[in-house]
């Protein structure tokens, strides 16, 4: 099975009973907002290592993200918080934590964009998300502030 937009340099695949074999990139995208246990198998299908179980963002974290990001944080997007996923900036399978400084709300379209293209996101010192376009969009990769809700004075 070959994916059109693979970014990972890792080899192998993941499986899911309802979907069959998945690319590692697709598995990472699905794992952003679910509970997953990573089990590594040898060439004969024997488990080698059993990883940690990850739980998605808590209800309190989602409320805090809704206040901070105001919905999908991608610049120019108007998707409301209820229709956005909590995306891990540093993926949990790579040791990323599930805390506000490592999460950003993204709609389905922008969530896929982050997983399958050269866009990056980071949280600034002011604890606001900013997006870094790939060189194909901006040669200098100038950071773009994410959407921000109007702040009440």
């Amino acid at each position: 099975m070959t994916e059109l937009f693979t970014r990972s340099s890792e080899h192998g695949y993941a499986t899911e009973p309802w979907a069959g074999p998945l690319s590692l990139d697709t598995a990472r995208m699905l794992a952003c907002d679910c509970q997953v246990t990573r089990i590594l198998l040898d060439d004969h299908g024997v488990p080698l290592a059993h990883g940690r179980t990850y739980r998605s963002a808590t209800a309190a974290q989602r409320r805090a993200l809704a206040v901070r990001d105001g919905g999908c944080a991608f610049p120019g997007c108007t998707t409301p918080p209820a229709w956005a996923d909590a995306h891990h900036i540093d993926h949990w399978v790579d040791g990323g934590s599930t805390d506000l400084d490592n999460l950003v709300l993204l709609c389905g379209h922008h969530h896929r964009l982050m997983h399958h293209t050269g866009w990056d996101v980071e949280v600034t010192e002011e604890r606001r998300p900013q997006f870094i376009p790939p060189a194909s969009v901006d040669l200098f990769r100038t950071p773009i502030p994410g959407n921000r809700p109007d702040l009440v004075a």
Side-chain angles (χ1 to χ4, degrees):
M1 176 176 197
T2 302
E3 292 289 326
L4 292 175
F5 305 106
T6 57
R7 288 185 66 197
S8 176
S9 60
E10 297 175 287
H11 297 287
Y13 64 94
T15 60
E16 181 59 38
W18 51 265
L22 304 169
S23 74
L24 294 178
D25 289 333
T26 300
R28 284 177 190 270
M29 187 176 77
L30 292 173
C32 272
D33 204 19
C34 69
Q35 180 176 336
V36 174
T37 302
R38 179 179 172 182
I39 301 174
L40 298 177
L41 307 175
D42 69 8
D43 293 337
H44 305 288
V46 177
L48 294 173
H50 180 273
R52 62 188 167 103
T53 298
Y54 165 78
R55 293 190 182 270
S56 60
T58 66
Q61 287 173 318
R62 287 194 55 86
R63 286 190 299 271
L65 287 168
V67 170
R68 184 192 75 189
D69 297 348
C72 178
F74 197 87
C77 188
T78 60
T79 300
W83 296 355
D85 299 324
H87 168 74
H88 283 80
I89 295 169
D90 293 320
H91 298 291
W92 72 270
V93 294
D94 296 329
S97 60
T98 305
D99 59 36
L100 293 178
D101 288 337
N102 193 41
L103 295 171
V104 64
L105 284 182
L106 295 172
C107 67
H109 170 74
H110 290 116
H111 198 168
R112 288 184 296 280
L113 183 83
M114 297 302 295
H115 278 278
H116 298 301
T117 66
W119 281 88
D120 291 314
V121 62
E122 61 187 19
V123 175
T124 66
E125 289 181 16
E126 294 82 25
R127 301 184 80 193
R128 298 284 190 178
Q130 68 178 7
F131 293 80
I132 300 134
S136 61
V137 173
D138 176 4
L139 187 59
F140 300 105
R141 301 199 72 203
T142 307
I144 304 167
N147 286 333
R148 299 176 192 217
D150 294 334
L151 299 177
V152 177

